[in-house]
Amino acid sequence: MTAGRGMQLSRERLLEAYRSMRTIRDFEERVHEEFEAGNLPGFVHLYAGEEASAVGVCSHLDDGDRICSTHRGHGHSIAKGCDVEGMWKELHGSSEGLCGGKGGSMHVADLSKGMMGANGIVGGGPPLALGAAMAAKTLKTGKVAVTFTGDGGSNQGTTFESMNFASVFRLPVLFVFENNGYAEATSSSWSVACGDIVNRAPAFGMPGTQVDGFDFFSVHDAAGEAVERARSGGGPTLIEVRFGRFYGHHEGDNQSYRAAGEVDALRRDRDCLKIFRRRVTEAGLLDDAGLDAVDADVAGLMDRCVEAARAAPRPTPDQLTADVYVSY
Amino acid sequence: MTAGRGMQLSRERLLEAYRSMRTIRDFEERVHEEFEAGNLPGFVHLYAGEEASAVGVCSHLDDGDRICSTHRGHGHSIAKGCDVEGMWKELHGSSEGLCGGKGGSMHVADLSKGMMGANGIVGGGPPLALGAAMAAKTLKTGKVAVTFTGDGGSNQGTTFESMNFASVFRLPVLFVFENNGYAEATSSSWSVACGDIVNRAPAFGMPGTQVDGFDFFSVHDAAGEAVERARSGGGPTLIEVRFGRFYGHHEGDNQSYRAAGEVDALRRDRDCLKIFRRRVTEAGLLDDAGLDAVDADVAGLMDRCVEAARAAPRPTPDQLTADVYVSY
Amino acid sequence: MARVISMRKAINEALFQVMEEDPTVILLGEDIAGGEGSPGDDDAWGGDMGITKGLQPRFGKERVMDTPISESAIIGTAVGAATSGLRPVAELMFVDFMGVCFDQIMNQAAKFRYMFGGKARTPVVIRTQIGAGYNAAAQHSQCLYPVFAHIPGIKCVVPSSAYDAKGLLIQAVRDDDPVIFFEHKVLYDEVRDDVPEEMYAVPFGEANIVREGSDCTIVAIARMVHKAGEAAEALAGEGVECEIVDPRTISPLDEDAILESVEQTGRLVVVDEAYPRCNMAADIAALAAREAFGALRAPVRTVSPPHTPVPFAPELEAAFIPSAGKIADAVRRTVGYAA
Amino acid sequence: MARVISMRKAINEALFQVMEEDPTVILLGEDIAGGEGSPGDDDAWGGDMGITKGLQPRFGKERVMDTPISESAIIGTAVGAATSGLRPVAELMFVDFMGVCFDQIMNQAAKFRYMFGGKARTPVVIRTQIGAGYNAAAQHSQCLYPVFAHIPGIKCVVPSSAYDAKGLLIQAVRDDDPVIFFEHKVLYDEVRDDVPEEMYAVPFGEANIVREGSDCTIVAIARMVHKAGEAAEALAGEGVECEIVDPRTISPLDEDAILESVEQTGRLVVVDEAYPRCNMAADIAALAAREAFGALRAPVRTVSPPHTPVPFAPELEAAFIPSAGKIADAVRRTVGYAA
Ligand SMILES: Cc1ncc(C[n+]2csc(CCOP(=O)(O)OP(=O)(O)O)c2C)c(N)n1
Ligand SMILES: Cc1ncc(C[n+]2csc(CCOP(=O)(O)OP(=O)(O)O)c2C)c(N)n1
Ligand SMILES: [Mg+2]
Ligand SMILES: [Mg+2]
């Protein structure tokens, strides 16, 4: 692990990071509840437990930088600054949702925030991230692109070829592989032939690093280095983030493929929020009161969002055929 | 390079290998002539200069083993035992061609010889080779599959994911990358981000080796080891064969992307047939007279084939709609 | 004696039986068992919709394989193995994922027989989910079978009943051509009908006359057969008798059955959940306009979704899917047509 | 003053002009310059058919890029860049290669605008070669545009003349939606016509009435427009006057122009080089059977290849491609139809 650059962040930046992680966690816990209660339609994949990855990476990015996400996109969206209420409404299919209710959980996007979309296609994001990076390179904006991919998605051909392509053109792009141990029910230790995903970096002529995804600072520091390299013309980087998800693959998954007690242990010992709190309070960077205030604040926000989303207006019939093509 | 197992081949086997390489060379030289004379329709890609690869690999295989080839498939087909006259007729589009005139140069195939087809799609072969290997594994036949891919094709997503897949299932398959320096006009030193293709083997959890493709023995020995490993359940191997082609990408290519004198130098100093001859005669394994006799024999065969192909019957109109589906 | 079972159960049973019957049948796909390499249950999922549940425990990991997420490799493995002595049944979880593996289907499997001069056989089956109805949004709700029907060399199966699903799947596995087997995800549980326990095959290219009637022919596909049935019920109350033709396979297509019905009714409505352009509704309407023109007494109406991606919001999705109401309206316009 | 130039030259010129006009236009594709990293000429190929020749020397490697053989990455780069401020023109060398990159087109580019609630614009152009005629066999001779026309959210352009090719390509680059630009490889040199030197745009969704006539409407696409022209010449000698409608874009499709013509002639033949099932011929025939039924005085005939892959042998390929003779026969049958 690199020496703690993240630990040198300002109090404000640290609180912001914590707030972002807490917002994701609360969002996902509440989505879980709402889904169980039958209030949410569609397929939903929760990011709870993985917050340090999205936030650790996105804390280096601004609205001009771009990310491509996966089916498990809520966390990336929030970390990248998407409007939380708009996301809630989107999950409900409201016309006030971030995508007017036409996308849903798997297609949350806000290009104005640099969030190019969750993606229902495993391996759909990496080629698109090349494009954002190519635009940054061509237009010399100094911006970067990040594509988040799961361990399962790391085995998709589109992902592999994107890495080679990025390297050939020295594109400012990060390939962040979120290895949570499973693709649906299939183990990553089985599906990734070379063991750790980071072992693939040399095959694509790029530096690679593996980080502890339960620790914000571990992700933050590796991503910071990679983003700097990308911004300064040094080309792509592969980052493998190792951790585990707190819920099933999607809502409804009974998770019988997991070991007994696996999730309980994760929640107890590997909760990135708890670990973050411990590290910053032990180092005297933040105090519990400040963090508790964030927790309360976020809980309030989430209450308001859930309520607003339930009451939000529904799409009108004319929306069915709107926005297929540009009208001139 | 591994110690010369190939040099311990019997006289017959050596002559057979030489004959096969000579047949490919003559085939290609004559195709070049016939194409220039306007006697051949379609797109044609010549394998001349690369003979040691096809023959070095296929000399370990029998009809039950399977290969998948590329758009540059004549050499692989001949090395795998396809009927040369049938191939000639196929290139002419005769109904007596190996594929009844319906495939042509880019789709030469003979499953009864284990030749699963040239392929017009770059990256089309590797996934198919997995299937042949899977059948061998499931049916416990001890057979293997080989997929030949170019340096350009090494960058295709389907190729990458096939390597991971093969490793995960420990399939008896060889990934032979024929790195002739170019994909059409684009250099492999540019398009393969990690420099040498062999550097990718670790990313897919398989052994990899790089060989001198101008030298039959170098290819032969590496392939022998890999085939043995595959047959005995040891899984896939990556072999990078380095060499150069004697002609353009396809017939009609003016090759202005190449260095002046490049091809002349290859023909002069790196002709696998000359190198083979030198090695076996210097080692006293074969003599010039024996090799000359093969040359004469093959030249005669080629004359007869060219003539037969020119005179071969044309497809009848009913062939247009035959063999789309099985008729019951 | 037949039992009433769901299409879900019918497909599962067909897979059990073909695997019992023929040791060269193998199954592969993502999480079709669901648990490979994981610490818990190896057959945790039995496919993302549970359709292949129980097959791996019964037939073992050598014949029922979870795979990495590598659709080109999955399909390629199945296709290559089919030319090498096996009869693989691969699962493409959702047809929406065809975009990362279509080459292995359309340029490889579909073309071998013809391109190799009749010398190759490629007995591969690809099972895949189609259709809207679960608010799964734009990338998990498409039909896309017209894209496959467009390609010569592949057979396309679109069952609408549990009975047909079982018999057609058995036929698909026995068939020597590449077959794409489209399963409408809503039908897995929505449809339950009489299904014999023993093995039987439903032949390809033979439409099923689901309902007889003399006023108007409705050709409908997959889930739309049931929507058409609802419409026909309603119309019967108005004195309009519809004949419903379910092609069951769209490639090959039973043109004769369709034309024969149109010759009798003189009217045709085609219902297709696939996007409206270049879809099966257009294909069949064109067939009638070409071959049954003399019999036609009214315009051929098509009922398809609008030309849009599938929207997420439940009310928009509901409006996207052709409904019994829209079908009935189309029939009414057709029957009420005055030249 | 207009000059007579080939479609090859017209496309090349359009690319030069759009790149001059708009610095956000970039080009990428395999060997579109042809020589990256190689010791010799960097612009050795200018595309596998030479269409993009001279563009890299003029606009530099930052804007005209050779790529590795990674079609998903090529298309993805273009699509992603199009949402990020550029107007990329990507080349998919042959449409036959869509099978390794279709997801980036159909699930990504095509759906962004709708799926993201109208908030995304994806001004990407994908140029690709279609068609038989060069004995390039089953994997390099397909049309496949019906597959793209089936997908909502992408516009499909099928030029038949040098004039249209230039104007439609300029329009494609200026358009804010994903556009697939299908270039028939035989037309590159087979077609030469009047093309202004200055820039001009041909709008999408506006058919071109290539020839006027009152006896029968022929709708034809891309190279088939010329085959239809030959047929019409021959038929004129027999006293049969055909009206030829070239849709120029098949998505959006100028339905009005087609229907208007059919209303006048009462007869329709549709000619499409794409495989016959679920193709544009079926699409347009269905349109007429639905919307112009009252005007139709004869069955709508379609002239398409047989439902087979494209064969290699020259005489088989020639028999595969719809010919002027077959088109004329279809018109004769249509005109001679007696109810
Ligand atoms: C091309 C494609 N194949 C398969 C799927 C079905 N699918 C959705 S998520 C998923 C597992 C993804 O696993 P991973 O990449 O590890 O991400 P995680 O869910 O663990 O975050 C699968 C197989 C899909 N959506 N797209
Ligand atoms: C999917 C696909 N992309 C592009 C092409 C066009 N193409 C044919 S051969 C070729 C170059 C292949 O280079 P390489 O793999 O190095 O093989 P080589 O020709 O050198 O033997 C290209 C780009 C194709 N046939 N298929
Ligand atoms: Mg995972
Ligand atoms: Mg090469």
Side-chain angles (χ1 to χ4, degrees):
Chain A
M1 209 197 305
T2 45
R5 295 207 287 179
M7 296 295 275
Q8 291 155 36
L9 286 173
S10 70
R11 212 172 160 276
E12 286 63 42
R13 297 291 302 281
L14 286 172
L15 273 174
E16 209 180 290
Y18 182 78
R19 175 182 299 272
S20 187
M21 294 201 292
R22 171 60 67 197
T23 306
I24 298 171
R25 176 67 55 83
D26 276 21
F27 188 94
E28 298 297 56
E29 303 275 11
R30 291 298 290 269
V31 168
H32 180 71
E33 283 169 29
E34 290 289 299
F35 192 92
E36 298 255 293
N39 295 336
L40 288 176
F43 296 171
V44 173
H45 309 79
L46 302 183
Y47 194 73
E50 309 191 2
E51 295 85 350
S53 174
V55 178
V57 172
C58 292
S59 57
H60 299 283
L61 311 179
D62 67 24
D63 288 354
D65 298 309
R66 300 213 146 195
I67 66 166
C68 292
S69 174
T70 67
H71 54 288
R72 198 176 301 289
H74 305 167
H76 306 131
S77 303
I78 292 172
K80 196 68 177 57
C82 290
D83 178 58
V84 175
E85 188 175 319
M87 287 177 59
W88 265 108
K89 289 177 173 171
E90 187 59 34
L91 266 63
H92 272 270
S94 160
S95 56
E96 286 181 357
L98 212 52
C99 302
K102 284 159 130 177
S105 166
M106 267 193 292
H107 306 296
V108 171
D110 188 345
L111 289 157
S112 71
K113 297 287 182 188
M115 166 58 187
M116 292 174 70
N119 211 310
I121 303 300
V122 172
L128 297 169
L130 301 176
M134 183 66 86
K137 188 184 171 207
T138 305
L139 300 172
K140 301 186 175 50
T141 58
K143 297 301 173 192
V144 305
V146 177
T147 178
F148 293 94
T149 307
D151 46 281
S154 82
N155 299 319
Q156 186 71 278
T158 55
T159 305
F160 288 123
E161 75 178 51
S162 294
M163 288 195 276
N164 184 66
F165 201 92
S167 233
V168 162
F169 286 104
R170 253 185 128 68
L171 294 177
V173 58
L174 275 63
F175 293 88
V176 177
F177 289 102
E178 301 189 318
N179 188 343
N180 59 11
Y182 301 97
E184 294 187 343
T186 299
S187 166
S188 64
S189 63
W190 176 80
S191 74
V192 177
C194 62
D196 294 351
I197 297 171
V198 68
N199 293 335
R200 289 174 174 161
F204 300 101
M206 67 177 77
T209 172
Q210 196 181 51
V211 299
D212 173 3
F214 297 110
D215 177 26
F216 167 82
F217 297 100
S218 176
V219 178
H220 175 274
D221 292 357
E225 206 176 290
V227 168
E228 261 173 42
R229 182 180 307 122
R231 289 204 203 284
S232 60
T237 302
L238 183 159
I239 299 176
E240 178 181 7
V241 182
R242 311 236 17 163
F243 49 16
R245 51 172 153 79
F246 282 6
Y247 288 100
H249 170 67
H250 50 41
E251 288 301 87
D253 177 7
N254 74 17
Q255 305 189 66
S256 65
Y257 51 88
R258 297 182 88 162
E262 191 180 313
V263 174
D264 291 342
L266 285 180
R267 284 190 181 264
R268 192 182 56 232
D269 307 327
R270 309 295 208 103
D271 183 330
C272 61
L273 284 158
K274 290 187 199 160
I275 292 170
F276 182 95
R277 182 183 280 254
R278 193 167 59 235
R279 291 197 64 177
V280 294
T281 51
E282 280 177 2
L285 300 170
L286 297 175
D287 57 22
D288 278 317
L291 295 165
D292 288 345
V294 170
D295 290 351
D297 210 38
V298 170
L301 166 73
M302 221 48 72
D303 284 341
R304 288 191 304 279
C305 285
V306 172
E307 206 155 317
R310 285 193 193 150
R314 308 301 310 169
T316 48
D318 60 302
Q319 278 305 303
L320 178 59
T321 51
D323 293 320
V324 180
Y325 296 112
V326 190
S327 320
Y328 294 98
Chain B
M1 208 197 304
T2 46
R5 294 208 287 180
M7 296 294 275
Q8 290 154 36
L9 286 172
S10 70
R11 214 175 156 274
E12 287 64 41
R13 298 290 302 282
L14 286 172
L15 273 174
E16 209 180 289
Y18 182 78
R19 175 183 298 273
S20 186
M21 293 201 293
R22 171 58 69 196
T23 305
I24 297 172
R25 176 67 54 85
D26 275 21
F27 188 93
E28 298 297 56
E29 303 275 10
R30 292 298 290 267
V31 167
H32 179 70
E33 284 169 28
E34 290 289 302
F35 192 91
E36 298 255 292
N39 294 337
L40 288 176
F43 296 171
V44 173
H45 309 80
L46 302 183
Y47 194 72
E50 309 192 3
E51 295 84 350
S53 174
V55 177
V57 171
C58 293
S59 57
H60 299 283
L61 310 179
D62 67 23
D63 288 353
D65 298 309
R66 300 213 147 193
I67 67 166
C68 292
S69 175
T70 67
H71 54 288
R72 199 176 300 290
H74 305 166
H76 307 129
S77 303
I78 292 173
K80 196 66 177 60
C82 290
D83 178 58
V84 175
E85 188 176 318
M87 285 176 60
W88 265 110
K89 289 177 173 170
E90 186 59 32
L91 265 61
H92 273 270
S94 159
S95 56
E96 286 182 357
L98 212 53
C99 301
K102 283 159 131 175
S105 166
M106 267 192 292
H107 306 296
V108 170
D110 188 345
L111 289 158
S112 71
K113 297 289 182 188
M115 165 58 186
M116 291 174 71
N119 210 309
I121 303 300
V122 171
L128 297 169
L130 301 175
M134 183 64 86
K137 188 185 172 208
T138 306
L139 300 172
K140 299 186 175 50
T141 59
K143 297 302 173 192
V144 305
V146 177
T147 178
F148 293 94
T149 307
D151 46 281
S154 82
N155 299 321
Q156 186 69 280
T158 54
T159 305
F160 288 123
E161 74 177 54
S162 294
M163 288 196 275
N164 184 66
F165 201 92
S167 233
V168 163
F169 287 103
R170 253 184 128 69
L171 294 177
V173 58
L174 275 63
F175 293 88
V176 177
F177 289 101
E178 301 189 317
N179 188 342
N180 59 11
Y182 301 97
E184 295 187 345
T186 299
S187 165
S188 64
S189 63
W190 176 81
S191 75
V192 176
C194 62
D196 293 351
I197 298 171
V198 68
N199 293 336
R200 288 173 174 162
F204 299 101
M206 66 176 78
T209 172
Q210 195 181 51
V211 300
D212 173 3
F214 297 110
D215 177 26
F216 167 82
F217 297 100
S218 176
V219 178
H220 174 275
D221 292 357
E225 207 176 289
V227 168
E228 262 173 40
R229 182 180 307 121
R231 289 203 203 285
S232 59
T237 302
L238 183 158
I239 299 176
E240 178 180 5
V241 182
R242 309 236 18 163
F243 48 17
R245 50 172 153 79
F246 282 7
Y247 289 100
H249 170 66
H250 50 41
E251 288 301 88
D253 177 7
N254 74 17
Q255 305 189 67
S256 64
Y257 51 87
R258 298 182 87 161
E262 190 182 316
V263 173
D264 291 341
L266 285 180
R267 284 192 181 265
R268 192 181 56 232
D269 307 328
R270 309 295 209 104
D271 183 330
C272 61
L273 283 158
K274 290 187 199 160
I275 292 170
F276 183 96
R277 182 183 280 254
R278 193 166 60 235
R279 290 197 65 177
V280 293
T281 51
E282 280 176 4
L285 300 169
L286 297 175
D287 57 21
D288 278 316
L291 295 165
D292 289 345
V294 170
D295 290 351
D297 211 37
V298 170
L301 167 73
M302 222 48 72
D303 284 341
R304 289 192 302 280
C305 284
V306 172
E307 205 155 318
R310 285 192 194 149
R314 308 303 308 170
T316 48
D318 59 301
Q319 277 305 304
L320 178 59
T321 52
D323 292 321
V324 180
Y325 295 112
V326 191
S327 319
Y328 294 98
Chain C
M1 236 298 290
R3 313 141 295 160
V4 172
I5 60 173
S6 65
M7 187 185 282
R8 163 192 298 284
K9 168 79 181 133
I11 294 172
N12 182 270
E13 185 169 283
L15 291 171
F16 262 94
Q17 293 181 342
V18 290
M19 292 196 76
E20 290 282 3
E21 178 181 70
D22 183 346
T24 69
V25 175
I26 62 164
L27 263 51
L28 72 168
E30 292 156 14
D31 296 290
I32 60 167
E36 186 61 69
S38 299
D41 183 3
D42 272 348
D43 193 45
W45 276 35
D48 104 295
M49 292 285 180
I51 306 299
T52 44
K53 187 84 182 166
L55 288 155
Q56 191 187 72
R58 170 68 189 83
F59 297 103
K61 289 193 175 188
E62 300 232 320
R63 292 184 64 197
V64 182
M65 288 171 265
D66 283 346
T67 67
I69 305 178
S70 308
E71 280 82 3
S72 288
I74 295 167
I75 305 299
T77 298
V79 171
T83 68
S84 310
L86 297 181
R87 289 190 172 270
V89 181
E91 177 172 303
L92 176 62
M93 194 182 290
F94 289 76
V95 75
D96 310 70
F97 309 160
M98 50 85 65
V100 296
C101 62
F102 195 42
D103 186 70
Q104 290 294 317
I105 298 171
M106 75 133 181
N107 274 328
Q108 313 298 336
K111 295 188 172 41
F112 286 166
R113 174 178 299 276
Y114 189 84
M115 192 165 71
F116 298 161
K119 290 181 195 153
R121 303 214 150 190
T122 312
V124 63
V125 179
I126 299 169
R127 294 180 42 247
T128 190
Q129 274 179 67
I130 59 168
Y134 281 166
N135 311 121
Q139 295 174 343
H140 285 73
S141 305
Q142 300 171 89
C143 283
L144 298 179
Y145 43 73
V147 168
F148 295 81
H150 180 64
I151 306 295
I154 40 184
K155 293 176 175 169
C156 300
V157 183
V158 285
S160 71
S161 72
Y163 176 90
D164 284 347
K166 179 174 174 179
L168 289 165
L169 184 49
I170 289 168
Q171 174 60 29
V173 173
R174 292 176 180 167
D175 198 283
D176 271 349
D177 286 313
V179 178
I180 320 289
F181 194 85
F182 299 92
E183 305 171 5
H184 198 297
K185 56 177 83 67
V186 174
L187 292 184
Y188 283 143
D189 297 310
E190 197 178 77
V191 151
R192 301 173 59 81
D193 49 82
D194 279 3
V195 178
E197 273 184 56
E198 63 275 14
M199 287 184 88
Y200 59 92
V202 171
F204 289 177
E206 290 191 17
N208 183 25
I209 309 299
V210 176
R211 179 189 181 108
E212 302 200 343
S214 55
D215 297 323
C216 183
T217 300
I218 306 179
V219 179
I221 290 162
R223 187 173 180 223
M224 293 302 109
V225 174
H226 303 281
K227 300 278 179 196
E230 284 176 49
E233 278 305 314
L235 290 161
E238 303 169 20
V240 175
E241 291 300 335
C242 294
E243 177 142 307
I244 300 180
V245 181
D246 173 2
R248 299 198 286 203
T249 63
I250 52 171
S251 190
L253 179 70
D254 188 348
E255 303 192 352
D256 291 345
I258 294 168
L259 294 172
E260 223 165 84
S261 178
V262 174
E263 293 286 345
Q264 278 165 25
T265 62
R267 296 184 170 85
L268 175 61
V269 171
V270 196
V271 192
D272 187 355
E273 190 188 316
Y275 301 127
R277 303 292 315 281
C278 299
N279 69 356
M280 279 305 302
D283 189 83
I284 291 167
L287 168 71
R290 186 172 65 239
E291 306 293 344
F293 181 78
L296 282 174
R297 285 183 280 160
V300 180
R301 304 238 151 255
T302 53
V303 185
S304 298
H307 190 57
T308 74
V310 185
F312 165 68
E315 49 275 80
L316 294 181
E317 192 195 49
F320 175 92
I321 301 168
S323 63
K326 278 186 202 142
I327 299 166
D329 279 348
V331 172
R332 282 187 205 104
R333 285 182 68 186
T334 304
V335 173
Y337 177 81
Chain D
M1 238 297 291
R3 314 141 295 163
V4 171
I5 61 173
S6 64
M7 187 186 282
R8 162 192 300 282
K9 168 77 181 136
I11 294 171
N12 183 269
E13 185 169 284
L15 291 172
F16 262 94
Q17 293 180 343
V18 291
M19 292 195 76
E20 290 282 3
E21 178 181 70
D22 183 347
T24 68
V25 175
I26 62 165
L27 263 51
L28 71 168
E30 292 155 15
D31 296 291
I32 61 166
E36 186 60 68
S38 300
D41 184 3
D42 272 348
D43 192 45
W45 277 35
D48 104 296
M49 292 286 180
I51 306 299
T52 44
K53 187 82 181 168
L55 289 155
Q56 192 188 70
R58 169 70 189 82
F59 297 103
K61 290 193 174 188
E62 299 233 320
R63 293 183 64 198
V64 182
M65 289 169 264
D66 283 348
T67 67
I69 306 178
S70 308
E71 280 81 4
S72 288
I74 295 168
I75 305 298
T77 298
V79 171
T83 68
S84 310
L86 297 181
R87 290 191 172 268
V89 181
E91 177 171 303
L92 176 61
M93 193 182 292
F94 289 76
V95 74
D96 311 70
F97 309 160
M98 52 84 65
V100 296
C101 62
F102 195 42
D103 185 70
Q104 289 295 317
I105 299 172
M106 76 133 180
N107 275 328
Q108 313 298 337
K111 294 187 172 45
F112 286 166
R113 174 177 298 276
Y114 189 84
M115 192 165 72
F116 298 160
K119 289 181 197 153
R121 303 211 151 192
T122 312
V124 63
V125 178
I126 299 169
R127 294 179 43 247
T128 190
Q129 273 178 69
I130 59 169
Y134 281 166
N135 312 120
Q139 294 173 345
H140 286 73
S141 305
Q142 301 171 88
C143 283
L144 298 179
Y145 44 73
V147 169
F148 295 81
H150 181 64
I151 306 295
I154 41 184
K155 294 177 174 169
C156 299
V157 182
V158 284
S160 71
S161 71
Y163 177 89
D164 285 347
K166 180 173 172 180
L168 289 165
L169 184 50
I170 288 169
Q171 174 60 30
V173 173
R174 292 177 181 167
D175 198 284
D176 271 348
D177 286 313
V179 177
I180 320 289
F181 194 85
F182 298 93
E183 304 171 6
H184 198 297
K185 57 176 83 68
V186 174
L187 292 184
Y188 283 143
D189 298 310
E190 198 178 76
V191 151
R192 301 173 61 81
D193 49 79
D194 278 2
V195 178
E197 273 184 56
E198 63 275 14
M199 287 184 89
Y200 59 94
V202 172
F204 288 177
E206 290 191 16
N208 184 24
I209 309 300
V210 175
R211 180 189 180 107
E212 302 201 343
S214 56
D215 296 324
C216 183
T217 300
I218 307 179
V219 179
I221 290 162
R223 189 174 179 220
M224 294 301 110
V225 174
H226 303 280
K227 301 277 179 197
E230 284 176 50
E233 277 306 313
L235 290 161
E238 302 169 20
V240 175
E241 292 301 335
C242 294
E243 178 141 308
I244 301 180
V245 181
D246 172 3
R248 299 198 285 202
T249 62
I250 51 171
S251 190
L253 179 70
D254 188 348
E255 302 193 351
D256 292 345
I258 294 168
L259 294 173
E260 225 164 83
S261 178
V262 173
E263 294 286 346
Q264 278 164 25
T265 62
R267 295 184 169 87
L268 176 61
V269 170
V270 197
V271 192
D272 188 355
E273 190 189 318
Y275 301 127
R277 302 292 313 283
C278 300
N279 68 357
M280 279 306 301
D283 190 84
I284 291 167
L287 169 72
R290 187 171 66 239
E291 307 293 345
F293 181 77
L296 283 174
R297 286 183 280 159
V300 180
R301 303 238 153 257
T302 53
V303 185
S304 298
H307 190 57
T308 75
V310 185
F312 165 67
E315 49 274 79
L316 294 180
E317 192 196 48
F320 175 92
I321 302 169
S323 64
K326 279 186 200 142
I327 298 167
D329 279 350
V331 172
R332 283 187 203 103
R333 285 182 68 186
T334 304
V335 172
Y337 177 80

